[in-house]
Amino acid sequence: MNFQKLCVLGLGYIGLPTASTFAINGIKVLGVDINPSVVETLQKGQIHIHEPGLHNLVTQAVQTGNLTASTRVEESDAFLIAVPTPFKQHELGDYKGQKFKLADMTAVASATEAIVPHLRKGNLVILESTSPPRTTVDLVRPILERSGLKAGIDFFLCYSAERVLPGQILRELVENARVIGGITPESARAGHELYATFVKGKIIETDATTAEMVKLMENTTRDVNIALANEFARLAEKLGVNVWEAIGLANLHPRINILSPGPGVGGHCISVDPWFFVEAAPELTPLIRNARQVNDSQPHFVLKKVQQAFHGSVGNHAAEDGGMSGLKGKKIAALGLAYKPNVDDLRESPAAEIVHLLQAEGEQVKAWEPFKPNARLEGIRMATNLNDAIQDADMVLLLVKHSEFARLDPQVIASSTKARLALDTVNAWDVEEWQRAGFQLLRLGVHSAPVPRAV
Ligand code: SAJ
């Protein structure tokens, strides 16, 4: 097998780094995206996403002449599909009254259809998009076979998910172990050969459905574990315990590794993928569904915490339900909108959801996202810089643990805002330092007032 020309469909967070990495390793790569502005940006030597090192890599790949971009698929030796698999926005599944989200496979289907007229004998097609189990055999294969060619006989077909962590994609792309699932052993071998161009981690061959399940198991495990951490945070608040201290102590146990609670789970992967298992077998997945629901409801937990914080600071008795009667219109500076620290990705961001929830309650929120200062999100008022966000605020609300937020000096903040109330949802700030600067600092997972204890 000799794959010299590769067509990568979808130039997003996975497709673009993957296409560029193949290109600098000697493969002729045509990057295809249906969005003409993505293609134009690349043709000008720029990129449309933030990922450390990516701009350099793309520049290098374009300079070698090996990476070009287009809105149209062309004949190639291999095709790699890296398009999004979001969930349907306006349709839910139902299992005995329990709702669950459904995968929207439109982009995978149309990318696959775009390959059909160019598919030739001996080609290799790889699906990289995280997909519901059996997508390769039940969706991709029949579409490709409309070409008249037979998968596994005339062309090779594989599933191989990316496993890279946004923020360190370029290193993980090369170093992580890679699972290649073929619809036949020969297909898996062909995929192995292509990825061996640059992958330094182990490359393991298996069947396509196992490879799909492996990917979903990884992200589901993380989601369930984060849900557990979030539930611990809720319990700790009720019991008058500092969850961060408790987790640190529990993690001293050699076989325990509790993850961090926070404002919720976002991004395009962990908040989406577990639903693919629920959709495949709702009767078998109550734990996965419940974990998703815990994480999806975490922004509401933060909303309540903000409401209770205002009650406390104005000397009111917190209402049982944390209600906000008479406190509408507080000004809140929301720090961070990205779905996690040090990335510019706002997809499925719990921070953005919290801003919407606060505004729906009548608060005036101004958000500052240093990784996307010019972002336009419907219904969210963006600050032009940190000072603009905080100067008139009644509360500074930390939603994302960006390094530059973690490093903020509370004395400097105190001189730039009239707020004396801060709420840290990610355990980034030191309570004593902020108190010395004149703030009342509340934290998620820590009860803001002492809980009466039995004597
Ligand atoms: N989060 C917490 N607490 C934690 C860890 C994360 O609340 O202890 C939150 C983050 O703030 C974020 C969300 O979870 O909102 C997801 O962040 P993440 O860093 O856990 O994962 P992603 O979505 O950026 O990347 C994941 C990775 N999967 C695993 O670690 C199992 C990555 O390796 C995958 O390639 C990626 O999904 C993907 O594309 O599927």
Side-chain angles (χ1 to χ4, degrees), residues 12-240:
Y13 283 88
I14 300 304
L16 184 56
T18 306
S20 310
T21 306
F22 271 116
I24 61 160
N25 284 283
I27 305 274
K28 283 262 173 222
V29 183
L30 176 69
V32 176
D33 203 290
I34 53 166
N35 183 347
S37 84
V38 168
V39 172
E40 278 161 31
T41 308
L42 271 178
Q43 282 164 342
K44 281 189 231 143
Q46 289 155 7
I47 56 171
H48 58 293
I49 47 183
H50 169 88
E51 173 64 30
L54 184 60
H55 195 208
N56 273 347
L57 178 75
V58 173
T59 310
Q60 216 186 320
V62 171
Q63 276 167 1
T64 59
N66 278 348
L67 178 64
T68 49
S70 168
T71 53
R72 304 175 74 92
V73 178
E74 285 175 12
E75 230 174 83
S76 286
D77 301 317
F79 300 88
L80 190 156
I81 302 170
V83 297
T85 47
F87 42 69
K88 292 181 180 162
Q89 291 298 327
H90 304 293
E91 194 187 335
L92 288 175
D94 187 313
Y95 175 70
K96 295 188 175 171
Q98 298 274 2
K99 303 287 179 204
F100 53 87
K101 295 185 181 171
L102 300 166
D104 178 351
M105 299 305 288
T106 321
V108 169
S110 52
T112 311
E113 281 159 11
I115 295 171
V116 173
H118 308 281
L119 192 63
R120 302 286 173 263
K121 273 197 168 187
N123 281 176
L124 163 66
V125 180
I126 300 166
L127 175 63
E128 272 217 16
S129 311
T130 306
S131 299
R134 300 193 57 85
T135 296
T136 309
V137 285
D138 289 347
L139 178 72
V140 173
R141 176 185 186 148
I143 295 177
L144 291 174
E145 289 188 342
R146 288 180 204 158
S147 63
L149 300 174
K150 282 264 163 265
I153 296 171
D154 298 318
F155 65 93
F156 304 110
L157 176 58
C158 291
Y159 180 82
S160 177
E162 51 74 25
R163 303 160 117 183
V164 290
L165 195 70
Q168 45 197 60
I169 290 180
L170 303 196
R171 181 174 62 74
E172 290 206 358
L173 204 54
V174 174
E175 290 178 6
N176 287 1
R178 187 110 206 173
V179 178
I180 319 273
I183 61 149
T184 56
E186 294 72 28
S187 288
R189 208 157 309 130
H192 185 147
E193 195 173 298
L194 180 68
Y195 283 106
T197 312
F198 69 80
V199 171
K200 296 209 168 69
K202 261 193 176 169
I203 303 180
I204 301 110
E205 295 168 29
T206 182
D207 66 90
T209 308
T210 300
E212 290 166 347
M213 181 152 177
V214 166
K215 170 68 190 184
L216 296 179
M217 282 164 54
E218 292 164 2
N219 282 355
T220 301
T221 300
R222 196 152 168 88
D223 196 44
V224 172
N225 281 316
I226 297 169
L228 192 59
N230 284 333
E231 221 160 74
F232 287 154
R234 297 176 190 187
L235 274 170
E237 289 202 8
K238 190 172 170 82
L239 299 173

Side-chain angles (χ1 to χ4, degrees), residues 221-298:
T221 300
R222 196 152 168 88
D223 196 44
V224 172
N225 281 316
I226 297 169
L228 192 59
N230 284 333
E231 221 160 74
F232 287 154
R234 297 176 190 187
L235 274 170
E237 289 202 8
K238 190 172 170 82
L239 299 173
V241 167
N242 174 342
V243 79
W244 306 99
E245 181 196 357
I247 289 176
L249 296 176
N251 283 349
L252 293 175
H253 186 292
R255 284 172 296 283
I256 297 297
N257 182 19
I258 301 169
L259 296 177
S260 301
V265 169
H268 182 55
C269 310
I270 297 201
S271 68
V272 178
D273 303 350
W275 289 117
F276 297 169
F277 274 146
V278 178
E279 182 178 354
E283 72 288 2
L284 300 178
T285 46
L287 174 66
I288 299 173
R289 185 178 58 235
N290 277 326
R292 270 291 61 248
Q293 279 158 354
V294 168
N295 288 335
D296 272 355
S297 65
Q298 195 70 352

